[in-house]
Amino acid sequence: MYAYTAGRRAFEYANYAFLTLLSLACIFPLVHVLAISFSSSSAATAGLVTFWPVGFTTKSYQYILDDPSFIRSFGITLERVALGTAINMVLTVLIAYPLSKEARQFKFRTVYAWYFVFTILLSGGLIPWYMTIKSTGIMDSIWALVLPGAVPVFNVILLLNFFRGLPKELEESAFIDGSGYWGALWRIYVPLSMPSLATILLFTIVGHWNAWFDGLILMNSPANYPLSTYLQTILTKINMSSLSTDQMKALAAVSDRTAKAAQIFLGALPILIVYPFLQRFFVKGIVMGSVKE
Amino acid sequence: MNPNLRKYGKLASAATAFALVLTACAGGGNDANNANANGNGKSGASAGASEDSSIPLDPFGKYPEPVTISYSKYQGQEVKFEGSDTIDDNPIIREYKDKLNINVKNAWVVKGTGDQYDQKMNVVIASNELPDLMYVNAQQLKQLVEADLVQDLGPLLEKYGSPFAKDVMTQDGGNALKSATFDGKLYAIPQTGSNIDSTPILWIREDWRKKLGLPEPKTAEDFFKLSEAFTKQDPDGNGKNDTFGLGLSKDLWGGMPGLEGFFNMYHAFPSIWVKGADGKLVYGSVQPEVKPALAKLSELYKDGQIDPEFASKDGGKVAEAATSGKLGMYFGAMWTPLWPLQDGKKQNPDMEWQAYAVPSADAEPAKVSAAFPVGHYFAVRKGYDHPEVAIKLLNLDMERQWGSLYDPVKYWSKDRTIEYRKYAVYPEAEPSRRNLNTHIAMVEALASKDPSKLNTEDKDRYDQITAYLEKGDLTGWANERVFGNTSSFTVIENYVKNNLVNDNAFYGAPTEAMGEKSAALGKMQLESFTKIIMGAASPDTFDKYVTDWSKLGGSEITEQVNAWKASNP
C-alpha cells in the first residue's frame, strides 16, 4: 500500500460523497412511495408525506389484497415470468452453443448467425407484429406474451461470446471421454457459464416483469392483463383539461394515492428481492463474457 | 393479404426472418381485402333494406330473431363490478338481450386511459379486423370514412331513433352531429358532451377577500387588485410572504388551473378557432388580443403574484397549493370544488371558495371560450347487416341514462356505490345542458324545500347540500359550490343567458396539416408564451411567434380549416 496524498484523499472523499448522494437519490423515491403507501389518505393528498408515514395505516394493503384484479394480474405475471424465462433460457442456450462453433465444425453457422442478427437490425413494426401474432391464433392467451419474444437475440450473442471464451480443450477432453455435443453442452459449457447465465436470467426476468405494452395490445380483456399492464392502466394520468363531473367523481375515487403507492411497491417487491441475489453475477458476467483471452 | 403471402411463400419458408418484412408487404394485400369487405357491405346493406319487416319500427321494439353485434369496449380506470358481473356479462348487457333481443359481444376491451384505448384501436384498424360497432376518435373516424369502411347512419337515425335520443344528439345546436357528417352523410353517432360545462370560471378565496375588505371582481381592475392583495397583504395571517395571487400550471391551459379565462378578459380566445372580422375562421392564439394579456401576465409574474416556479408545476401541484391555502385565485372548470377544493375544505373548514364570472378588461362583457366537447364517435362497420342496431342501443341507453327509464334502484348496485351505466354501449354520451338543468332544478328545490321533482342522483346531491347548509356537514360543500344557489352553474347560467359562450368554431376531424404540425406548433406556443410570462422574452416577441406560426404550418392549417368551413356551412 502507498500513503494517500492530500489530493488523493480529497478525491476519495468527493467520490464517496458523490456516490452516496447518487444512491440516496435512487433510494429516496422508493422510500417516499413506501411512506405514502402506509400513510392516511388525506395526508397523502395534501402532500404532507415525505420519507416517513403520516397517520400510519395498512388500509391500502388490505384494500389491494381484497381486490381480485390485482391478485389475478399478479398471478398472470408470475406465470409469464416463469414460463417466459424458462423458454427464453432454454432457447438461448440451445442457439448460442452451435453458433459459438466455427464454420469448419458447423457449415451454415454464418447463415444462421445472420438470420438471427437480422431481427435486431430490422423489425417489422407494430402493425405487422400485431397481425402476425393475430394470425397465429395465440391472441388473448399467455402464449401471446411469451412466444413472440421467445428468442432474445441480444442474449444469444452475449452467451455465444462467452462460450467462445471458454477453453476448447475442456470440450475436447469431454469428447475423448466419449461425450457427444449434447453432453458437452450440459456438463461442460452450462456449468462453466453460470455467471453469464445469471446475468441473462436477470435481464429476462426483469424484462418480462416490466413489459406492459404487449399486454395492452395483445390481450382482449382486462382480466388477462399482466401486472405491469394493470399498473400502467391505473397509474397513467388522465388528461384533466376537459372532464365531465362524472369523470371527475370517478377520478376522485381512483386518485387514491396511498393505494397506488402500495400497488407500485408490491409490484416492485419481487424484483427487489431477486435483484441482490443475482446482482453479484451481473457485473462479473458481462465483463467475463467480453474480455476473456 | 393471403395471395401476396402465398406468392412469396417459398421465399418465406427459406428464410423466415423475412417474414416480418413480408407481413409489412402484405399491407398491400389489405386493399384487396377492403374492396371485398366493401362489396359485401353493399350487398349487405341492400339485403338489410329488403328485410325491413324483421326490424321493429318502434324505437324500443324487440327483434323477433336475436341479433348479435360485436363491439370494441373502452373501460375506464374507475369501472367496478358487483358480484360475478364482468364487462362481458352484466345487468346492462342482459337488458339489451331481454328488451331488444340484441346480443352485445365485446370483441375486445381496453381498460385504462383513453389514449391507451386509441392505441389499440389504431392497431385494429390497420389490421382490418373491425368489430361491428366501433368506439373511435375523430382522427380514426376520418380514416375509416376515407377508406370507405363505415356505414351511413343518417337515414337510420331518422327512421329508428327515439325522439329523446334525437334531442340529446341535437341539444348543442347540431354541431356534434355535423362533426360526424362527411359529404352530407352521417357516418357515426357522436359521444355528445357539454360545451358549456367547459367554460372558464374565476375561483376566489372568498374568506380572504372578505378579510381584506375588497370588492367582488366586477372588472379586470378589481381582479388585479385582489391578485396583488392576496400576494402582498398576507391574507392567511401567518406573517409570512408565502401566498400567490394567481395560479398557473406549466401547461397553461386546462381545467385546474387554466389561463383561458385570463385571456378571455382581453377578448382573446387562445387554442380555439373563432370567426374573424371577414367571416373566415382564424386561430385564437395568434390574434392581436393575446398580446396585452401576455404582457399583463408577465407584469404579474415580475411582481411575484404568480409562483416563480409555475413552469415546472403541473395541475396537481397547483391543486396542492390551492388546498393547502397558498393560492388566492385561479381560472378553472366548474368541477374544481369536487376536486381538489373539497380536500382543502376538509382540512381547513374556514377555507371558502366562490365562483365568479370572468371579468372584462373594458366596457364590453367578456365572452368565454368553450371547447368542442365531442372527442369520440360510434361507427358501424361496412358489411354489418344490422346497422340500425346501433340506433336501437342508443335509444335504450339515452332513455335509461337521462330519460324516462332512469331508475336509481334498478341501475345501481345495492350499496349504491356502483352505477351500471358504465357498462353501456353509450356510457358517456350526455345531454349538453344536463348539469345546467340540474342546477336550475336544484335552486328551485332549495327555495321550496321540496326535492320531489329531482331525479334520484340529484336528490342525493340535494340531501348533501342541505346537510351542509343546515348542519354544517362538510362533505356536501363541493356539491353546494357546483350546483347550489351561488355556484359554478350560477356563473355558467349567466354566460348562457347573456350569450357569452364562444364555441370553438372548428369541430371537424383534425385536418391533414393539423395531424402533422399541430403538435410542434403547440409546443412552440407553450414555449413562447411561457418565456414571455417569465420575462425571458419581451411581449413584443409575440409578433415573431405569430409569423413563425404561419410559416411553420399555421397558414396551411388555416386554409384547410376554412376549406372545411366552406363545405360545412
Side-chain angles (χ1 to χ4, degrees), chain B residues 265-336:
Chain B
M265 290 200 302
Y266 292 85
H267 313 296
F269 303 95
S271 305
I272 66 171
W273 292 84
V274 289
K275 241 191 195 123
D278 57 352
K280 288 203 163 170
L281 297 188
V282 292
Y283 193 51
S285 294
V286 293
Q287 300 312 306
E289 290 86 3
V290 171
K291 196 171 164 181
L294 280 173
K296 187 71 197 178
L297 277 170
S298 81
E299 265 176 49
L300 297 182
Y301 181 87
K302 206 172 156 196
D303 198 38
Q305 300 179 27
I306 293 169
D307 185 345
E309 287 168 12
F310 83 88
S312 63
K313 293 192 171 168
D314 62 11
K317 283 272 175 264
V318 181
E320 261 175 38
T323 53
S324 60
K326 302 282 174 234
L327 187 60
M329 292 189 289
Y330 62 86
F331 291 94
M334 56 86 189
W335 44 255
T336 51

Side-chain angles (χ1 to χ4, degrees), chain A residues 79-103:
Chain A
E79 193 183 344
R80 172 188 188 158
V81 169
L83 204 61
T85 309
I87 292 175
N88 285 165
M89 292 307 289
V90 168
L91 288 179
T92 305
V93 170
L94 290 183
I95 293 167
Y97 180 59
L99 289 186
S100 70
K101 299 296 163 209
E102 281 160 37

Side-chain angles (χ1 to χ4, degrees), chain B residues 401-418:
Chain B
Q401 282 156 204
W402 327 113
S404 59
L405 293 176
Y406 177 79
D407 183 343
V409 178
K410 197 167 159 195
Y411 299 117
W412 283 78
S413 64
K414 282 198 192 72
D415 57 0
R416 298 200 36 83
T417 55
I418 301 172

Side-chain angles (χ1 to χ4, degrees), chain B residues 146-203:
Chain B
E146 279 167 4
D148 199 20
L149 290 172
V150 287
Q151 304 198 27
D152 180 9
L153 299 177
L156 298 171
L157 179 63
E158 202 44 52
K159 190 168 176 190
Y160 299 107
S162 71
F164 182 66
K166 287 181 197 164
D167 176 51
V168 171
M169 291 296 127
T170 50
Q171 263 190 25
D172 68 336
N175 284 1
L177 283 179
K178 271 196 218 160
S179 73
T181 305
F182 297 78
D183 297 328
K185 287 180 180 166
L186 179 71
Y187 278 109
I189 303 292
Q191 171 166 301
T192 50
S194 177
N195 53 335
I196 54 177
D197 282 8
S198 71
T199 50
I201 288 170
L202 172 57
W203 288 99

Side-chain angles (χ1 to χ4, degrees), chain A residues 42 45-46 115 127 130-132 134 217 219-220 222 225 232-233 236-238 243 245-246 248-250, chain B residues 17 23 75 77-78 108-112 116 120 123 126-127 129 314 334-335 343 347 421 434-435 457:
Chain A
S42 63
T45 337
Y115 169 73
I127 308 248
Y130 175 83
M131 288 166 70
T132 311
K134 176 118 194 163
I217 296 289
M219 295 293 128
N220 285 339
Y225 283 173
Q232 185 75 21
T233 60
T236 309
K237 270 205 183 146
I238 297 175
L243 286 184
T245 33
D246 286 331
M248 218 43 243
K249 268 192 294 182
Chain B
T23 349
Q75 181 188 346
Q77 298 172 326
E78 74 287 354
W108 42 268
V109 183
V110 168
K111 184 185 162 192
Q116 289 164 345
K120 169 103 179 181
V123 176
S127 69
E129 305 256 5
D314 62 11
M334 56 86 189
W335 44 255
D343 286 337
Q347 289 191 340
R421 171 160 66 86
R434 173 183 165 218
N435 285 324
E457 193 184 3

Side-chain angles (χ1 to χ4, degrees), chain B residues 140-462:
Chain B
Q140 290 162 342
L141 177 64
K142 198 176 163 210
Q143 280 175 13
L144 289 169
V145 170
E146 279 167 4
D148 199 20
L149 290 172
V150 287
Q151 304 198 27
D152 180 9
L153 299 177
L156 298 171
L157 179 63
E158 202 44 52
K159 190 168 176 190
Y160 299 107
S162 71
F164 182 66
K166 287 181 197 164
D167 176 51
V168 171
M169 291 296 127
T170 50
Q171 263 190 25
D172 68 336
N175 284 1
L177 283 179
K178 271 196 218 160
S179 73
T181 305
F182 297 78
D183 297 328
K185 287 180 180 166
L186 179 71
Y187 278 109
I189 303 292
Q191 171 166 301
T192 50
S194 177
N195 53 335
I196 54 177
D197 282 8
S198 71
T199 50
I201 288 170
L202 172 57
W203 288 99
I204 295 188
R205 268 300 287 269
E206 192 72 352
D207 51 328
W208 288 5
R209 184 182 72 77
K210 286 189 176 142
K211 187 176 156 194
L212 299 176
L214 289 160
E216 293 187 355
K218 294 265 183 254
T219 64
E221 212 42 53
D222 299 335
F223 165 79
F224 292 124
K225 264 185 211 142
L226 280 170
S227 173
E228 190 176 3
F230 287 164
T231 310
K232 296 179 178 168
Q233 296 184 17
D234 190 24
D236 56 350
N238 67 354
K240 284 185 227 156
N241 182 16
D242 58 352
T243 52
F244 296 107
L246 180 64
L248 249 67
S249 79
K250 67 182 165 86
D251 305 314
L252 301 185
W253 321 115
M256 175 70 218
L259 278 179
E260 287 91 342
F262 189 92
F263 285 88
N264 291 162
M265 290 200 302
Y266 292 85
H267 313 296
F269 303 95
S271 305
I272 66 171
W273 292 84
V274 289
K275 241 191 195 123
D278 57 352
K280 288 203 163 170
L281 297 188
V282 292
Y283 193 51
S285 294
V286 293
Q287 300 312 306
E289 290 86 3
V290 171
K291 196 171 164 181
L294 280 173
K296 187 71 197 178
L297 277 170
S298 81
E299 265 176 49
L300 297 182
Y301 181 87
K302 206 172 156 196
D303 198 38
Q305 300 179 27
I306 293 169
D307 185 345
E309 287 168 12
F310 83 88
S312 63
K313 293 192 171 168
D314 62 11
K317 283 272 175 264
V318 181
E320 261 175 38
T323 53
S324 60
K326 302 282 174 234
L327 187 60
M329 292 189 289
Y330 62 86
F331 291 94
M334 56 86 189
W335 44 255
T336 51
L338 292 164
W339 181 90
L341 300 183
Q342 176 76 56
D343 286 337
K345 182 75 181 175
K346 267 186 207 158
Q347 289 191 340
N348 174 12
D350 295 333
M351 180 183 285
E352 194 52 61
W353 290 89
Q354 177 68 47
Y356 286 97
V358 169
S360 169
D362 51 32
E364 190 189 336
K367 282 194 157 197
V368 286
S369 307
F372 180 61
V374 181
H376 279 87
Y377 298 85
F378 302 88
V380 177
R381 172 178 69 89
K382 210 157 210 176
Y384 178 61
D385 285 341
H386 286 285
E388 79 288 345
V389 166
I391 311 294
K392 299 268 177 191
L393 295 172
L394 178 75
N395 292 340
L396 183 57
D397 278 354
M398 291 302 110
E399 205 67 42
R400 174 185 348 95
Q401 282 156 204
W402 327 113
S404 59
L405 293 176
Y406 177 79
D407 183 343
V409 178
K410 197 167 159 195
Y411 299 117
W412 283 78
S413 64
K414 282 198 192 72
D415 57 0
R416 298 200 36 83
T417 55
I418 301 172
E419 191 183 6
Y420 298 159
R421 171 160 66 86
K422 304 278 179 185
Y423 313 153
V425 171
Y426 302 93
E428 308 289 351
E430 64 171 12
S432 181
R433 288 174 56 96
R434 173 183 165 218
N435 285 324
L436 181 54
N437 288 339
T438 295
H439 161 72
I440 293 169
M442 186 71 71
V443 171
E444 264 176 38
L446 286 170
S448 62
K449 295 197 180 290
D450 172 22
S452 58
K453 279 187 200 148
L454 299 173
N455 70 30
T456 315
E457 193 184 3
D458 294 342
K459 169 82 170 50
D460 265 3
R461 291 193 175 120
Y462 173 86

